[in-house]
Amino acid sequence: MQVKKFDIIIIGGGILGVSLGYFLTLNSDANIVILEREKNVSSHTSSRNTGKVHAPFLYDPIKKKIFAKISFLGYNMWETYSNRKRIAFKQDGVLEIAKEEKDIKVLKKYFEWGIKNGLEEKEIHFLNDQETKTIEPNVICHGSIFCKRDASVDYGLLTTTLKNDYLLAGGKLLNLHRVTGIKNKNDNCVIEIVTKNRERKIINSKYVINTAGGHSLDIAHQLEIGLELFDLHFRGEYWRAPQEYEKLTSHSIYSIPKRQNFPFLDPHWIIKADGHCEIGPNAVPVFGPYSYNLIDNFKNFLPKTKEILFKKGLWSLFYNREFLSLLTSEIAGSLSKSIMIQRVKKFLPALDTKKFTTRGTAGIRSLLIDGKGNFIPDTLLLKNSISLHILNYNSPGATGALPLSAMIVQELINDKLLNKVTKANQLWNIEDIYSKIKF
């Protein structure tokens, strides 16, 4: 049996795992490897998203303080990196609208959050219905927030470019290596992996960083971390707008969600980095983080059911009236293309449902639930002496991947788990980033 040893193993080659590898190789002398189960990095959520560099006004600075801080810092960092690599960074702004009069109060709250999270008043504007018409004549609403600090990018391309920089700096990447087991043995992580050819390997490391996305909780549980937690998965589907609608608006349009705790249930009008437009997402419950089709979903049904059946939080969840309402009305209704597009037609009445014939790219969101049956609003960073687990890393995860990674690397240096070695080609001082994020 083949055994390899590393200083740090990163599980998951999504945008967060690759960003961590990037900063680790540029700021330490550690022997690092990224384990990725797919042929290419960024195969799942990191490339199956709207491509937005999100403005921080959507995030409660108290309940979602990590997301709030990293989304604010992520904008400038992605702009800097994109410009250095000559990759498109389309600063196109975003419009958040109030479909109903009562939503104006929520807009005002968002405005306050934006200022508290670091936006300058020149970057975010509160508009009434007529002022909104001056910038988006085809939109009907009671008012809006217009934020200039929002952009569109290709996160898949950015992740691939970061991967190349990581490899050039001396990092290693093992593609088609699926983690099948992990345990603590004498304060070392012992990881069992299986390759595409079904070859079994054992890899050892002093430290593991778990950025496995939809599988991150499974890995944490194997090291007896977060055992009270469980997750549910929702596939978000999109419909691509026909070319004739590509000039319908100048900005992506988001609306105040009907349910504040579940904003992903309200479909948006998205302008992608390449100029095409999409409507979505909906929220289809699925049984695995990669259940993009019926076959994969069926395969995961029994394992997922067994995993969560005896969790205390599961039964508490079914006493949650809001969640029950989601299952019986919101989620069920979102399965219909017609219903999804009708929701967007409330603020973009020019749309014709019959003209939407092409599906966009579906992505899967994994939501973390605690032992009391409550959805956890922010990302969680759980660790022990040999591992760090980044859980519940949803939107604006891609936006915040660079600053969060820089912060984590600096924290590992502060904890004496890494030797600080500053290499050439640095775009940022990670100590400075750490000082702006540390909790």
Side-chain angles (χ1 to χ4, degrees):
M1 184 184 298
Q2 186 176 358
V3 178
K4 293 184 179 181
K5 294 184 179 180
F6 296 91
D7 295 322
I8 294 181
I9 291 176
I10 300 170
I11 302 176
I15 195 167
L16 181 59
V18 173
S19 296
L20 275 161
Y22 172 82
F23 281 109
L24 282 166
T25 53
L26 290 179
N27 292 277
S28 78
D29 57 2
N31 184 16
I32 303 157
V33 65
I34 297 174
L35 301 179
E36 170 52 45
R37 62 184 287 144
E38 307 294 349
K39 183 178 180 180
N40 300 310
V41 298
S42 185
S43 293
H44 294 290
T45 305
S46 299
S47 59
R48 294 171 171 268
N49 55 53
T50 60
K52 303 301 292 182
V53 184
H54 287 293
F57 66 82
L58 293 173
Y59 312 110
D60 186 330
I62 297 175
K63 294 181 179 180
K64 295 187 176 184
K65 65 179 181 179
I66 299 178
F67 282 146
K69 289 184 177 184
I70 64 176
S71 65
F72 175 75
L73 294 172
Y75 183 92
N76 283 342
M77 293 182 75
W78 282 122
E79 184 178 30
T80 298
Y81 187 77
S82 297
N83 290 341
R84 174 64 66 92
K85 298 297 178 179
R86 297 182 180 180
I87 295 174
F89 183 90
K90 185 179 177 183
Q91 183 184 358
D92 46 11
V94 67
L95 204 65
E96 181 86 19
I97 65 163
K99 291 181 293 186
E100 302 177 25
E101 186 65 36
K102 64 181 180 64
D103 293 336
I104 295 295
K105 291 182 180 180
V106 182
L107 284 181
K108 291 180 178 179
K109 179 176 66 176
Y110 284 178
F111 187 91
E112 292 174 0
W113 287 355
I115 298 300
K116 288 180 180 179
N117 290 336
L119 291 176
E120 298 179 14
E121 291 191 3
K122 65 181 180 180
E123 295 175 317
I124 185 169
H125 304 278
F126 190 92
L127 308 176
N128 62 32
D129 56 343
Q130 293 305 311
E131 290 169 331
T132 304
K133 281 281 187 183
T134 62
I135 61 173
E136 290 295 355
N138 292 311
V139 171
I140 294 176
C141 66
H142 289 268
S144 68
I145 283 176
F146 173 60
C147 185
K148 296 179 180 180
R149 192 186 174 93
D150 198 274
S152 298
V153 296
D154 182 340
Y155 281 121
L157 176 59
L158 287 169
T159 305
T160 298
T161 308
L162 277 171
K163 175 208 70 176
N164 294 337
D165 287 343
Y166 160 76
L167 294 174
L168 284 172
K172 299 176 181 63
L173 172 67
L174 295 177
N175 296 97
L176 297 171
H177 282 59
R178 179 170 56 88
V179 174
T180 56
I182 180 170
K183 61 183 178 180
N184 182 347
K185 185 176 182 180
N186 300 323
D187 288 329
N188 276 274
C189 273
V190 179
I191 300 177
E192 181 180 301
I193 57 178
V194 174
T195 69
K196 182 181 180 181
N197 299 324
R198 297 185 179 180
E199 180 185 1
R200 182 170 172 264
K201 296 181 180 180
I202 298 294
I203 298 181
N204 294 339
S205 74
K206 299 176 183 177
Y207 200 79
V208 164
I209 304 178
N210 171 14
T211 63
H215 277 309
S216 57
L217 185 61
D218 301 329
I219 291 168
H221 282 172
Q222 291 184 51
L223 289 175
E224 299 186 342
I225 291 176
L227 292 177
E228 76 283 3
L229 305 172
F230 68 97
D231 54 13
L232 296 178
H233 311 293
F234 297 88
R235 187 175 69 242
E237 300 166 333
Y238 293 83
W239 286 92
R240 182 165 179 153
Q243 189 173 3
E244 66 184 272
Y245 290 143
E246 290 184 0
K247 302 298 182 182
L248 188 62
T249 71
S250 300
H251 309 89
S252 294
I253 313 294
Y254 288 68
S255 61
I256 298 298
K258 182 178 179 181
R259 301 176 188 275
Q260 295 290 301
N261 293 329
F262 305 98
F264 57 91
L265 284 171
D266 289 73
H268 323 302
W269 174 258
I270 305 296
I271 302 178
K272 306 280 279 188
D274 63 3
H276 86 265
C277 302
E278 293 186 359
I279 284 177
N282 58 1
V284 181
V286 292
F287 296 102
Y290 311 129
S291 296
Y292 301 115
N293 56 56
L294 288 174
I295 295 175
D296 289 336
N297 202 28
F298 181 76
K299 289 178 181 178
N300 288 299
F301 173 72
L302 285 178
K304 189 64 181 179
T305 302
K306 290 179 180 179
E307 174 197 335
I308 68 176
L309 190 59
F310 297 105
K311 293 286 187 179
K312 290 182 179 179
L314 176 66
W315 304 109
S316 299
L317 189 61
F318 283 101
Y319 286 100
N320 184 323
R321 291 184 178 181
E322 186 175 34
F323 179 70
L324 290 176
S325 176
L326 292 177
L327 289 180
T328 57
S329 60
E330 293 292 327
I331 291 176
S334 74
L335 293 172
S336 164
K337 177 185 77 170
S338 177
I339 291 176
M340 180 161 47
I341 296 176
Q342 284 296 327
R343 289 184 173 185
V344 177
K345 284 187 68 172
K346 289 182 178 179
F347 58 85
L348 274 177
L351 300 177
D352 183 349
T353 305
K354 295 178 181 178
K355 294 182 178 181
F356 287 78
T357 58
T358 304
R359 289 185 180 272
T361 301
I364 294 178
R365 179 189 299 260
S366 299
L367 300 180
L368 207 60
I369 300 162
D370 66 19
K372 296 181 180 179
N374 299 312
F375 284 89
I376 296 175
D378 207 354
T379 191
L380 285 183
L381 277 64
L382 304 181
K383 61 183 178 180
N384 60 13
S385 61
I386 61 166
S387 62
L388 169 66
H389 305 264
I390 304 169
L391 309 177
N392 210 45
Y393 196 67
N394 295 307
S395 179
T399 300
L402 287 177
L404 184 64
S405 298
M407 185 213 77
I408 288 171
V409 172
Q410 183 59 49
E411 197 163 71
L412 292 174
I413 293 170
N414 293 347
D415 292 341
K416 310 299 183 184
L417 294 170
L418 287 175
N419 295 320
K420 173 71 173 178
V421 176
T422 303
K423 299 180 182 178
N425 301 318
Q426 295 280 349
L427 290 177
W428 304 281
N429 182 328
I430 64 171
E431 290 183 71
D432 181 51
I433 297 169
Y434 174 81
S435 68
K436 294 174 181 177
I437 303 179
K438 62 179 180 179
F439 314 114

